[in-house]
Amino acid sequence: WQVVLAGMPYALGATSVIFGKHIDKIVGDKVKGIHTLPVLLGERASRTLNITLMILQYVFVILLIIGGYFTAVMLVVLLALRRFALVYRVYRQPKPAEPPAEYPEDGWPLWFVAFAFLHNRSFGLLFIVALLVDAILFRFVL
């Protein structure tokens, strides 16, 4: 179970990306009769839930540090909060009707998944690097 707990922050990030994609597909899924969780919850509640999943990534890391499972090295993931701030602002608003001028043409109509991935890439990279350093510290120093 310790490995499951240690992997939760990263797993929540991957889940947020998949969930973001399903938020983007709400209209099409409703038409097709596909009852994904975002279809059942609605867009606004789904956006809030996805933000909550991202926040839980940080909460799990901090709880695992407090519990002694990780060292304070893992706090490096907090550097991803800058990216999270952007994602949070995007998720607090409905999806725009048209892509913004600077949005990649091949990325539309995906919107929420792109921002969830942006956060996950930042958090995930920091998490994996910190996890490696943390493991080295536990093995050779502590």
Side-chain angles (χ1 to χ4, degrees):
W1 286 110
Q2 289 179 335
V3 174
V4 171
L5 286 175
M8 283 302 292
Y10 193 83
L12 287 167
T15 301
S16 75
V17 173
I18 295 166
F19 203 73
K21 185 172 183 179
H22 285 287
I23 295 170
D24 286 330
K25 295 171 51 179
I26 283 178
V27 174
D29 284 349
K30 273 185 185 179
V31 169
K32 295 176 186 173
I34 300 171
H35 303 290
T36 62
L37 189 54
V39 168
L40 298 173
L41 294 176
E43 183 185 311
R44 184 177 175 149
S46 295
R47 287 186 281 119
T48 300
L49 178 56
N50 214 18
I51 284 294
T52 303
L53 291 175
M54 292 178 211
I55 291 169
L56 284 172
Q57 291 180 268
Y58 298 96
V59 171
F60 263 97
V61 168
I62 291 168
L63 289 175
L64 288 166
I65 292 168
I66 291 169
Y69 191 81
F70 290 146
T71 67
V73 167
M74 295 301 290
L75 289 174
V76 75
V77 301
L78 296 178
L79 293 173
L81 282 170
R82 185 171 155 222
R83 184 74 66 193
F84 174 75
L86 166 68
V87 174
Y88 180 82
R89 287 190 304 274
V90 167
Y91 266 75
R92 298 313 309 157
Q93 302 296 321
K95 181 178 175 177
E98 298 290 326
E102 68 278 1
Y103 197 81
E105 289 180 31
D106 61 343
W108 196 258
L110 300 177
W111 179 252
F112 294 112
V113 66
F115 286 95
F117 180 75
L118 190 66
H119 173 258
N120 190 52
R121 186 173 59 191
S122 295
F123 181 93
L125 177 64
L126 291 167
F127 182 80
I128 296 297
V129 168
L131 192 60
L132 180 61
V133 172
D134 198 69
I136 290 169
L137 285 174
F138 267 117
R139 177 73 170 107
F140 298 108
V141 178
L142 301 176

